[in-house]
């Protein structure tokens, strides 16, 4: 499913004087493990390709110190404003850019970085997005279906649910959500929207619950979870974005530079695993994690949203390419 919907590149925001918005802070996953595998050196150069509200970035910036440089990116402008305010409390210089991580090479060029010592990409949805009812990510939200990371892009989940043909919806739910009732749910959506639009996540979730109840079986998670995930992935073009980022990642790293990627579902995890296996065979990267690293039980108990998180790490071999 190759549909390009990249948000516009808008460049640096590090000199913005916008006030910090009132929004929940994202709780970063596996911070100590991320730092252990990234090993950001004092005075080094690091990229947080998915900065969110800055949780991982703050920890990395403290390791880099006053002689280092942190480059951070995100598609969510409000999150960038929060991250800016928090990073200003560290001694590390930083540059912020609004845009997808597929524009990381542009960010590196604008920040005058020839190779990063550490690169992080956390692919999970942020707490600040999930807990904001207006963003329309949560199936309990009574606000309009949205699910955009970048609020300036045109396509929303509302348009997908209310305008895509039935067979297309079924494909989205199956391919991007691995939803076994994809066809039944797509058929129910079309029948409902023929009478009236499906405006909110709560309305969509109720419809899916009714379909699931007719389908029988046990549900370990809310019946709408996989459909909501599929819609989010589709609206934000997440898998194509990830594949593009994985291709450019080795060239973002300085020799001996390290990368960490956090994934939260099997579609992401498979792509990272396969791409890094191929790049290891080509001599572009060396994988550091024989199997994915997962959160400790104590962290999962404290923050259940990290339960599906998997950490993978890799390093660029020293041979080939100059130091920054």
């Amino acid at each position: 499913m190759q549909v390009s919907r990249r948000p516009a590149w808008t460049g640096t925001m590090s000199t913005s004087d916008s006030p910090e918005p009132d929004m929940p802070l994202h709780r970063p996953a596996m911070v100590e493990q991320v730092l252990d595998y990234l090993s950001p050196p004092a005075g080094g150069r690091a990229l947080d390709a998915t900065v969110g509200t800055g949780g991982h970035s703050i920890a990395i910036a403290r390791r880099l110190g006053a002689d280092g440089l942190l480059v951070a990116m995100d598609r969510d402008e409000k999150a960038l404003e929060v991250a800016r305010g928090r990073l200003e409390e560290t001694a590390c210089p930083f540059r912020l850019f609004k845009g997808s991580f597929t524009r990381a090479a542009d960010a590196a060029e604008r920040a005058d970085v020839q190779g990063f010592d550490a690169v992080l990409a956390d692919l999970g949805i942020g707490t600040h997005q999930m807990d904001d009812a207006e963003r329309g990510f949560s199936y309990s939200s009574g606000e309009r279906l949205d699910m955009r990371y970048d609020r300036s892009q045109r396509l929303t989940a509302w348009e997908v649910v209310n305008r895509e043909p039935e067979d297309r919806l079924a494909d989205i739910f199956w391919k991007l959500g691995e939803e076994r009732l994809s066809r039944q749910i797509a058929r129910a959506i079309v029948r409902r929207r023929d009478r009236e639009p499906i405006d909110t996540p709560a309305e969509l979730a109720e419809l899916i619950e009714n379909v699931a109840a007719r389908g029988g079986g046990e549900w370990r998670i809310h019946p709408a979870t996989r459909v909501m995930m599929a819609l989010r992935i589709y609206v934000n073009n997440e898998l194509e974005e990830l594949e593009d980022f994985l291709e450019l990642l080795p060239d973002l790293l300085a020799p001996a530079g390290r990368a960490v990627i956090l994934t939260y579902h099997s579609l992401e995890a498979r792509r990272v695993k396969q791409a890094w296996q191929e790049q290891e065979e080509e001599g572009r990267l060396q994988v550091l994690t024989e199997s994915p690293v997962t959160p400790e039980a104590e962290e999962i108990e404290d923050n259940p949203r990290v339960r599906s998180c998997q950490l993978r790490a890799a390093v660029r071999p020293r041979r080939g390419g100059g130091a920054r």
Side-chain angles (χ1 to χ4, degrees):
M1 186 177 294
Q2 300 288 319
V3 183
S4 181
R5 286 181 291 278
R6 292 199 179 95
W9 173 255
T10 58
T12 184
M13 292 183 59
S14 63
T15 58
S16 168
D17 58 1
S18 301
E20 182 174 320
D22 183 16
M23 66 188 301
L25 297 178
H26 176 65
R27 299 181 66 184
M30 303 176 67
V31 176
E32 291 305 317
Q33 295 95 321
V34 166
L35 291 175
D36 285 345
Y37 278 99
L38 276 184
S39 297
R45 305 290 184 262
L47 169 68
D48 187 343
T50 50
V51 65
T53 55
H56 286 117
S57 275
I58 290 172
I60 294 170
R62 288 172 178 159
R63 291 284 188 95
L64 297 175
D67 294 326
L69 176 67
L70 173 72
V71 177
M73 310 176 64
D74 208 279
R75 289 194 262 183
D76 189 328
E77 188 165 358
K78 286 180 66 178
L80 281 169
E81 292 176 6
V82 175
R84 175 190 56 78
R86 300 180 74 195
L87 285 167
E88 284 176 347
E89 298 178 2
T90 72
C92 181
F94 64 91
R95 297 285 301 277
L96 297 185
F97 296 89
K98 179 177 182 291
S100 163
F101 52 28
T102 59
R103 307 301 300 273
D106 294 333
E109 181 178 358
R110 294 185 183 209
D112 195 26
V113 176
Q114 283 73 54
F116 290 102
D117 301 296
V119 173
L120 170 67
D122 181 349
L123 305 183
I125 181 172
T127 304
H128 57 286
Q129 294 159 333
M130 182 62 74
D131 290 349
D132 184 350
E134 291 185 2
R135 304 296 292 269
F137 284 101
S138 171
Y139 53 74
S140 62
S141 172
E143 302 292 333
R144 188 177 177 88
L145 276 161
D146 192 325
M147 298 191 178
R148 294 171 296 171
Y149 293 146
D150 181 354
R151 303 291 295 269
S152 68
Q153 79 172 45
R154 296 185 61 182
L155 184 69
T156 68
W158 188 95
E159 293 185 15
V160 176
V161 168
N162 287 286
R163 293 179 179 169
E164 290 287 359
E166 180 180 328
D167 59 348
R168 181 64 164 166
L169 286 174
D171 283 347
I172 291 170
F173 301 155
W174 173 248
K175 292 179 180 178
L176 301 184
E178 300 178 318
E179 172 52 65
R180 64 181 180 84
L181 297 177
S182 59
R183 297 201 176 280
Q184 295 94 314
I185 292 170
R187 189 175 307 118
I189 287 173
V190 171
R191 288 175 177 171
R192 162 70 181 272
R193 76 188 192 192
D194 283 345
R195 303 191 307 271
E196 58 181 343
I198 300 170
D199 287 327
T200 70
E203 292 172 1
L204 178 59
E206 182 180 9
L207 179 149
I208 295 169
E209 285 184 77
N210 292 335
V211 173
R214 294 195 297 271
E218 297 289 331
W219 293 86
R220 293 187 301 105
I221 57 177
H222 191 284
T225 300
R226 295 183 184 278
V227 169
M228 293 296 188
M229 181 181 77
L231 285 172
R232 189 201 80 216
I233 292 172
Y234 183 76
V235 166
N236 295 290
N237 209 22
E238 292 182 30
L239 295 185
E240 186 183 68
E241 293 275 338
L242 175 58
E243 288 169 356
D244 289 349
F245 177 70
L246 289 168
E247 176 58 31
L248 66 88
L249 177 57
D251 295 329
L252 292 172
L253 293 167
R258 293 182 169 215
V260 166
I261 297 182
L262 302 179
T263 63
Y264 294 81
H265 57 77
S266 60
L267 297 175
E268 297 171 339
R270 281 199 296 268
R271 280 163 171 78
V272 176
K273 179 180 178 180
Q274 292 168 1
W276 281 4
Q277 285 176 339
E278 293 172 3
Q279 290 168 351
E280 188 168 45
E281 292 173 0
E282 296 165 353
R284 300 176 68 196
L285 285 179
Q286 177 185 347
V287 177
L288 298 174
T289 45
E290 184 174 344
S291 57
V293 179
T294 56
E296 301 287 346
E298 184 178 351
E299 181 176 2
I300 295 174
E301 183 177 357
D302 183 56
N303 182 15
R305 287 177 175 172
V306 307
R307 63 184 177 274
S308 60
C309 183
Q310 295 186 350
L311 181 155
R312 287 177 169 84
V315 61
R316 178 178 171 180
R318 288 185 180 276
R319 67 182 183 278
R324 67 168 193 278

